[in-house]
Amino acid sequence: MVDEYLGVEDELWPPWLRPLLRTSFFVQCKLHADSHKSECNMYCLDCIDRPLCSLCLSSHQHHRTIQIRRSSYHDVIRVSEIQKYMDITGVQTYIINSARIVFLNERPQPRPGKGVTNTCLVCHRSLLDSFAFCSLGCKLAGTSKSKMMELSVSDTSSITNNGTSFRPSTPPPTSVNYRTAKRRKGVPRRAPMGSLTVHF
């Protein structure tokens, strides 16, 4: 029964996705260690083997290969490359160096910022309102059957018998300005300068 469950869940995703997300990129290639172009930042979706350097690509000429990039010490891929091979709907995209990218794996935040209304369903990173996941890894984890069941149970537990939610709504705006309500000082005053005379 467990094998059947995993098999059905794996059919949702391409067979190369889980190995891609587990792969360590930007390491030195074991086959071309003596070359200065031996940094592994490519991946073959057909071989699903290991990260590739630019010299390894010659043996993968007719295969589907993608290039992994780095942003703030995290692995990313261009949207134009990955959307050819999988559906990335719901994953937040970012623009870095004028290219639209998605992150491969989750990047949890220690705590969400003030006023955050939407977070990743898996790692709770703050997101724009139209997205559900911060990375491909979070989408994979968040759309698994076990996670979907967990989310549906938590959603039904917050609803009463008549269908209203117990979650607090956003409080209505008040007529008092936020800045004036939390002002720390009174009216700023200048230091008395009239009694100071400068002699040359």
Side-chain angles (χ1 to χ4, degrees):
M1 172 114 173
V2 173
D3 292 334
E4 291 173 13
Y5 166 72
L6 290 173
V8 170
E9 192 169 301
D10 285 341
E11 289 176 10
L12 296 173
W13 303 107
W16 47 262
L17 183 58
R18 288 180 198 273
L20 169 71
L21 297 176
R22 285 192 293 257
T23 301
S24 295
F25 292 97
F26 301 95
V27 295
Q28 190 173 28
C29 180
K30 294 175 183 171
L31 300 176
H32 303 104
D34 55 340
S35 172
H36 70 281
K37 291 186 175 185
S38 66
E39 186 176 64
C40 294
N41 67 337
M42 306 292 282
Y43 192 78
C44 181
L45 304 180
D46 296 322
C47 295
I48 313 172
D49 184 21
R50 59 181 178 79
L52 307 172
C53 72
S54 58
L55 299 172
C56 293
L57 287 179
S58 61
S59 59
H60 299 267
Q61 281 182 337
H62 301 291
H63 294 183
R64 299 173 299 160
T65 57
I66 55 174
Q67 182 178 1
I68 305 302
R69 300 163 197 280
R70 287 227 102 159
S71 173
S72 303
Y73 304 103
H74 294 280
D75 296 337
V76 301
I77 186 168
R78 285 188 174 169
V79 169
S80 59
E81 282 188 72
I82 195 68
Q83 69 184 2
K84 294 178 205 172
Y85 306 115
M86 72 172 284
D87 178 23
I88 60 167
T89 304
V91 180
Q92 180 159 330
T93 60
Y94 300 86
I95 296 179
I96 297 176
N97 294 336
S98 70
R100 189 165 292 277
I101 59 97
V102 292
F103 284 88
L104 291 186
N105 292 301
E106 70 178 52
R107 301 172 306 127
Q109 288 176 314
R111 59 191 164 130
K114 292 182 180 177
V116 172
T117 58
N118 188 34
T119 60
C120 176
L121 296 176
V122 176
C123 71
H124 307 293
R125 183 174 192 80
S126 55
L127 301 173
L128 297 175
D129 286 337
S130 58
F131 298 102
F133 304 104
C134 70
S135 65
L136 298 178
C138 283
K139 181 172 182 174
L140 176 70
T143 54
S144 67
K145 286 191 177 190
S146 58
K147 185 67 175 180
M148 296 300 275
M149 289 172 57
E150 178 186 318
L151 289 173
S152 67
V153 167
S154 68
D155 284 348
T156 55
S157 66
S158 68
I159 298 176
T160 63
N161 291 337
N162 62 359
T164 25
S165 175
F166 282 119
R167 293 182 184 152
S169 62
T170 306
T174 61
S175 60
V176 179
N177 185 350
Y178 178 76
R179 286 188 180 269
T180 59
K182 293 206 169 199
R183 177 169 247 150
R184 290 173 37 195
K185 295 182 179 180
V187 178
R189 303 189 189 277
R190 295 222 178 254
M193 300 278 295
S195 63
L196 181 68
T197 55
V198 180
H199 298 281
F200 291 98

